[in-house]
Amino acid sequence: MLADLIFVNGRVWTGEPDGKGQVKLQEDCAIATRSGRIIHAGPRKSAPEARKTIDLEGRLVTPGLIDCHTHIVHAGNRANEWQMRLEGASYEEVARAGGGIVSTVKAVRKASEDELVAASLPRLDALIAEGVTTIEVKSGYGLDAENEAKMLRAARRLERTRAITVRTAHLGAHAMPPGAKDKDAYITDVIERQLPLAVGEALVDAVDAFCEGIAFSPEQVARVFDAAHAQGIRVKIHAEQLSNLGGAKLAAKYGALSADHIEYLDSAGIKAMAKAGTVGVLLPGAYYFIKEKRKPPVAALRKAGVPMAVATDCNPGSSPLTSLLLAMNMACTFFGLTPEEALAGVTRHAARALDVLHESGTIAPAKWCDLAIWDVAAPAELSYRIGFNPLWMRVWRGHV
Ligand code: DI6
Ligand code: FE
């Protein structure tokens, strides 16, 4: 079979673990692509002929990076609140004083879909420049049926505007909308109005909820998850970010794709996640930006065999971060991940958190040919430098 394109002379980190769970660098490796898919990854000798050849001259090749937790679709910014926090206010105090998520909600409601797309593209382009080929985009700043749908329509448009795969998550259960008081009544709105509209337009790939004192209780989150499952949609959760309400354990019971943040995760939560195969998504940008003191229980997660992903959580309030490479660096420096774990965290495990591991996240035949090609010698260099981008070439579905 004639390939459309073949990359030769690469040093390839496929992301596919061997029998011992190790990913070995493949020297002098060729990757061939046809119709956007990988048709060969291995020795050049056994590679097919191709219409076009690109010599990588020994550069490192990894799967295209995956940012599996972002809120990049939003309007406005919260630099003013950041300044308040620099003067001593906590993230929770800012939220309780009427700032926080609600101030972004006001900006998003005012913005048109076009304006949301335009505001999000520079952030998306920053991620793309680092070799990101798949991202997740959450809603959660509309907080009513029409505005949540508007955010998700903007997210879908990003995918049609750039060469990138976008997975969406409906996060109606993110915060209480301005002026609302009754949390149970609001959850009813999420279930009866928001989800049906967004699901009806095929805007929802997963359903997310924020389980926290300043957001929703496990019981309220469970109602949202029941509604998601009734539509055949998988769930995920923002949990144990500021306190431990047992959200991760609840989510695992629902077979959640991921539980994210998890600084305050306890052993019962870890056990439940391991059993359910729920990915733990570490968000060191938020940990850093709100000066959280508590670290996620990385050693215990590792020991329990819970896959750990790393993401930017790019959002205007707690993590205005548009560098996945920096998130990798922080995951190593702050949380004690190995550079290899950080790389698996933005490829294989991130793919699993988005339910796309069958088609991306590692370099293997039949998957999309999503690659990041780097001017570095070793995978560790990707999380070693701070604020430096060694990307040489990005390939999305076989397109350079
Ligand atoms: N946790 C977070 O870190 C973001 N959402 C959430 O549930 C913060 C969102 C924001 O502050 O705008
Ligand atoms: Fe988040």
Side-chain angles (χ1 to χ4, degrees):
M1 190 177 0
L2 188 67
D4 299 329
L5 174 63
I6 188 163
F7 299 91
V8 298
N9 199 10
R11 305 179 63 235
V12 179
W13 189 92
T14 62
E16 291 281 346
D18 62 17
K20 290 191 203 116
Q22 304 291 318
V23 178
K24 278 209 201 66
L25 262 194
Q26 297 193 27
E27 304 288 343
D28 196 13
C29 183
I31 300 171
T33 171
R34 186 183 158 99
S35 305
R37 303 277 176 174
I38 295 168
I39 58 170
H40 173 89
R44 187 172 185 183
K45 290 193 297 291
S46 48
E49 293 293 310
R51 274 192 203 98
K52 192 177 164 208
T53 302
I54 294 180
D55 187 349
L56 301 182
E57 299 166 325
R59 289 186 178 84
L60 177 74
V61 185
T62 67
L65 305 190
I66 299 178
D67 192 350
C68 69
H69 180 142
T70 88
H71 309 249
I72 68 161
V73 169
H74 61 258
N77 72 75
R78 308 225 297 270
N80 56 337
E81 290 175 15
W82 175 61
Q83 287 173 284
M84 277 168 66
R85 286 197 297 103
L86 287 176
E87 286 160 20
S90 73
Y91 180 71
E92 273 171 300
E93 281 161 2
V94 168
R96 290 191 196 281
I101 292 173
V102 160
S103 69
T104 300
V105 171
K106 290 180 184 154
V108 164
R109 286 182 174 181
K110 260 198 228 125
S112 67
E113 186 187 315
D114 286 348
E115 285 165 342
L116 283 179
V117 170
S120 307
L121 278 174
R123 296 187 278 272
L124 183 64
D125 287 337
L127 293 169
I128 285 173
E130 286 189 342
V132 173
T133 50
T134 299
I135 61 163
E136 190 216 46
V137 178
K138 299 177 190 296
S139 63
Y141 292 119
L143 307 186
D144 63 31
E146 187 45 45
N147 284 294
E148 287 291 300
K150 177 178 75 183
M151 287 187 74
L152 295 174
R153 287 182 207 120
R156 289 278 192 246
R157 264 182 56 194
L158 293 179
E159 184 172 49
R160 298 195 292 271
T161 311
R162 291 290 186 272
I164 192 160
T165 302
V166 174
R167 300 286 292 174
T168 59
H170 191 287
L171 182 55
H174 191 198
M176 286 292 279
K181 291 265 160 355
D182 184 340
K183 288 189 179 181
D184 290 313
Y186 177 68
I187 292 295
T188 302
D189 186 73
V190 172
I191 293 167
E192 292 184 358
R193 300 196 53 239
Q194 297 184 23
L195 282 175
L197 177 65
V199 172
E201 286 185 42
L203 296 172
V204 185
D205 297 326
V207 168
D208 196 347
F210 187 19
C211 186
E212 193 58 68
I214 57 170
F216 299 99
S217 69
E219 293 72 27
Q220 289 157 344
V221 169
R223 290 178 57 207
V224 176
F225 285 179
D226 285 332
H229 278 190
Q231 302 276 351
I233 298 173
R234 296 193 66 182
V235 301
K236 48 178 45 201
I237 193 164
H238 283 69
E240 274 77 83
Q241 180 185 11
L242 309 168
S243 63
N244 175 17
L245 299 185
K249 188 173 161 196
L250 170 87
K253 226 178 66 193
Y254 280 84
L257 290 166
S258 69
D260 304 31
H261 287 290
I262 56 174
E263 277 85 345
Y264 290 81
L265 182 65
D266 60 15
S267 55
I270 294 171
K271 218 169 132 191
M273 286 172 67
K275 194 164 158 225
T278 298
V279 176
V281 179
L282 309 181
L283 304 169
Y287 167 89
Y288 162 79
F289 197 68
I290 65 175
K291 296 194 192 171
E292 177 56 60
K293 294 283 176 313
R294 176 88 164 235
K295 299 181 185 207
V298 162
L301 287 164
R302 189 186 283 134
K303 192 162 165 229
V306 175
M308 290 180 280
V310 176
T312 61
D313 195 15
C314 175
N315 77 67
S318 69
S319 187
L321 171 64
T322 48
S323 169
L324 194 53
L325 291 174
L326 184 52
M328 290 164 71
N329 171 273
M330 289 174 164
C332 296
T333 311
F334 291 145
F335 296 164
L337 260 61
T338 67
E340 186 100 357
E341 284 175 326
L343 182 54
V346 297
T347 53
R348 185 168 80 249
H349 299 321
R352 187 154 155 192
L354 296 185
D355 210 9
V356 295
L357 187 57
H358 57 287
E359 60 178 23
S360 56
T362 67
I363 298 173
K367 291 196 181 193
W368 289 119
C369 187
D370 291 352
L371 309 174
I373 302 166
W374 310 92
D375 244 330
V376 302
E381 287 178 56
L382 298 178
S383 35
Y384 156 69
R385 290 198 189 274
I386 303 167
F388 180 73
N389 180 4
L391 188 79
W392 183 74
M393 183 182 275
R394 174 184 178 276
V395 181
W396 180 76
R397 299 191 178 180
H399 294 287
V400 173

